[in-house]
């Protein structure tokens, strides 16, 4: 029986391993421009995973959203993101969004997905304009030693909760509505 891949084996990682994987990617990208992520600005959230159609299981599967800031003068944001883009492409990531346009906010932005661990990453200039925000989301992981449950369609009316974008937690409140991110 073909279930559209929803019961394909999940990659196995502990929460600690997932966090280390994400931090390694952020450090790799920041290192492309001699930046250091500010550990005091970390915002991370482990959540239960949901399938494309809202499927869920009680086997401990989780994903991680992680965001952190790095200080960098605004005038250097575009150059830094260009260096990071080259590194991501060399690591097998597909760039899904890229912008350097000072008439827009954020003016420097890059979104990518892929690599050997299928991570989603975004790097952008934002508030305050002297910092870059790195945001990474993992795919669904199954904890080590856990038997993966088979899932079926969700119960009628069951709606998964949409995760909050972790970059929002790192932004300074301005009192005004923030502009939408152009790449989702």
């Amino acid at each position: 029986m073909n279930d559209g891949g929803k019961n394909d084996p999940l990659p196995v990682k502990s929460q600690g391993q997932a966090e280390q994987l994400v931090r390694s990617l952020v450090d790799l990208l920041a290192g492309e421009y001699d930046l250091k992520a500010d550990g005091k600005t970390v915002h991370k959230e482990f959540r239960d995973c949901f399938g494309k159609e809202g499927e869920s299981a009680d086997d401990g599967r989780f994903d991680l959203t992680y965001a952190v800031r790095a200080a960098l003068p605004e005038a250097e944001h575009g150059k830094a993101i260009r260096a990071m883009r080259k590194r991501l492409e060399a690591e097998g990531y597909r760039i899904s969004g890229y912008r350097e346009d000072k008439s827009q906010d954020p003016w420097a932005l890059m979104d990518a997905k892929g690599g050997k661990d299928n991570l989603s990453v975004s790097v952008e200039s934002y508030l305050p304009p002297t910092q870059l925000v790195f945001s990474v989301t993992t795919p669904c992981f199954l904890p080590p030693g856990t038997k993966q449950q088979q899932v079926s369609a969700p119960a009628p009316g069951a709606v998964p909760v949409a995760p909050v974008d972790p970059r929002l937690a790192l932004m300074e409140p301005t009192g005004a509505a923030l502009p939408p991110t152009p790449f989702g």
Side-chain angles (χ1 to χ4, degrees), residues 18 56 112 116 134 148 169:
S56 66
K116 65 182 177 70
F134 295 82
Q148 182 175 333

Side-chain angles (χ1 to χ4, degrees), residues 6 10 41 57 59 102 108 174:
K6 68 181 162 193
L10 294 173
T41 67
D59 56 10
K102 290 203 177 193
T174 63

Side-chain angles (χ1 to χ4, degrees), residues 22 32 46 49 60 63 68 76 120 127 153 161 163 166 172 174 181:
V22 167
E32 286 298 304
F46 292 97
C49 292
D63 60 21
V68 65
E76 297 182 44
S120 295
L127 303 173
V161 176
E172 306 263 340
T174 63
T181 302

Side-chain angles (χ1 to χ4, degrees), residues 19-121:
E19 185 174 350
Q20 181 59 43
L21 174 69
V22 167
R23 285 197 335 237
S24 293
L25 177 60
V26 169
D27 290 344
L28 175 76
L29 293 178
E32 286 298 304
Y33 205 71
D34 292 327
L35 300 176
K36 178 119 173 91
D38 180 355
K40 294 177 185 172
T41 67
V42 169
H43 176 78
K44 63 182 175 181
E45 182 180 358
F46 292 97
R47 300 178 316 263
D48 293 337
C49 292
F50 292 98
K52 289 180 192 174
E53 304 298 323
E55 305 92 352
S56 66
D58 294 323
D59 56 10
R61 60 185 70 188
F62 68 92
D63 60 21
L64 168 63
T65 58
Y66 183 97
V68 65
R69 293 182 187 191
L72 181 67
E74 182 180 16
E76 297 182 44
H77 288 193
K79 188 175 179 182
I81 287 178
R82 283 191 298 274
M84 292 174 203
R85 177 183 182 157
K86 285 182 183 179
R87 182 55 178 240
L88 284 172
E89 288 173 330
E91 297 287 328
Y93 284 79
R94 182 182 56 80
I95 306 301
S96 58
Y98 184 85
R99 172 173 72 213
E100 286 185 60
D101 181 351
K102 290 203 177 193
S103 70
Q104 300 209 16
D105 195 16
W107 74 268
L109 170 78
M110 175 185 55
D111 292 322
K113 184 172 183 173
K116 65 182 177 70
D117 294 298
N118 198 30
L119 301 175
S120 295
V121 61

Side-chain angles (χ1 to χ4, degrees), residues 99-155:
R99 172 173 72 213
E100 286 185 60
D101 181 351
K102 290 203 177 193
S103 70
Q104 300 209 16
D105 195 16
W107 74 268
L109 170 78
M110 175 185 55
D111 292 322
K113 184 172 183 173
K116 65 182 177 70
D117 294 298
N118 198 30
L119 301 175
S120 295
V121 61
S122 177
V123 182
E124 63 184 67
S125 58
Y126 219 74
L127 303 173
T130 58
Q131 296 188 352
L132 288 178
V133 175
F134 295 82
S135 175
V136 182
T137 303
T138 69
C140 197
F141 290 125
L142 190 67
T146 304
K147 184 176 185 326
Q148 182 175 333
Q149 293 177 349
Q150 301 296 296
V151 296
S152 58

